[in-house]
Amino acid sequence: FPPFSGRESDPVALSKQRLKTWSRPLLALLSTPTTDQGLITQHADRCAVQLHWLVPCPHCAKYQILTFDTLKFAKPADVESYTDWLSVTPGAAWMQCKFCGARIEESEKAGMALRGVWALESKQGATRGELHVSPGTICYDDWPPGVGVAMYMDPFSCPFPATSWNNIAAGFIAAKDDIGKLMDFFNGTL
């Protein structure tokens, strides 16, 4: 969001003001933080609770955040169009477990997501990014009123066809040689 539109204040502050008339207000900010200076990032960083979605590896059962650097895909030598090949070849892209190194197939994603947990990022005395796995569902009723909760979920855990690992890999290949398209890929897809 722009900090000032010229007609109204910061959209996040305005939303908070408008929620004051509700008995149990819930403000959900859904966005892709693009820079550390952006309003979404600043508001998320001020939240007292930071949660990250973790899924277990189907091979070693260790919980992890699926990230772009664990997405793997290899182009066969006899293929001319990499993006076409990725879009029509099931299993052409896969994830690699950060812990055991096992190949995780897309067909295993739904089971991983069903066993996923929201993990609390420690803000007191811990290195930023240190996660503590707490199995179970966390809902907003678990926090006192007025406590900000930031929730981070990667696209690799989503069950929708647009977020298939093949589609994400194909999107990267299509964008990698154009800085504008690459920025759109990282901001819009990841």
Side-chain angles (χ1 to χ4, degrees), residues 7-182:
R7 296 181 327 167
E8 293 185 345
S9 67
D10 151 20
V12 176
L14 188 59
S15 298
K16 288 179 179 178
Q17 286 295 327
R18 291 183 176 156
L19 287 173
K20 287 182 178 180
T21 60
W22 294 83
S23 63
R24 287 189 58 123
L26 173 64
L27 175 63
L29 302 175
L30 306 174
S31 182
T32 302
T34 55
T35 68
D36 290 339
Q37 295 79 34
L39 282 174
I40 297 296
T41 302
Q42 290 175 15
H43 284 283
D45 283 347
R46 286 196 295 265
C47 288
V49 178
Q50 305 272 329
L51 299 173
H52 295 264
W53 183 248
L54 277 70
V55 293
C57 170
H59 306 281
C60 71
K62 291 193 176 175
Y63 281 80
Q64 60 196 288
I65 298 170
L66 298 180
T67 59
F68 184 67
D69 63 320
T70 60
L71 178 66
K72 306 297 177 192
F73 43 95
K75 178 184 173 188
D78 61 341
V79 172
E80 193 168 314
S81 172
Y82 204 175
T83 53
D84 291 344
W85 177 76
L86 279 166
S87 65
V88 298
T89 309
W94 66 94
M95 299 301 283
Q96 184 174 4
C97 177
K98 293 178 183 178
F99 299 103
C100 70
R103 179 177 171 139
I104 303 170
E105 299 294 340
E106 178 104 28
S107 60
E108 298 172 295
K109 179 166 64 168
M112 294 167 64
L114 287 173
R115 292 186 307 281
V117 297
W118 287 107
L120 183 62
E121 180 179 334
S122 175
K123 286 190 148 193
Q124 298 175 345
T127 306
R128 181 162 177 75
E130 182 177 333
L131 299 172
H132 305 281
V133 176
S134 304
T137 303
I138 297 173
C139 68
Y140 80 93
D141 286 338
D142 293 339
W143 314 108
V147 170
V149 178
M151 302 173 87
Y152 302 90
M153 184 174 190
D154 63 86
F156 304 105
S157 300
C158 294
F160 308 118
T163 59
S164 76
W165 298 338
N166 278 16
N167 284 346
I168 293 172
F172 171 71
I173 295 299
K176 70 181 181 63
D177 296 325
D178 180 311
I179 191 69
K181 289 180 181 177
L182 193 58

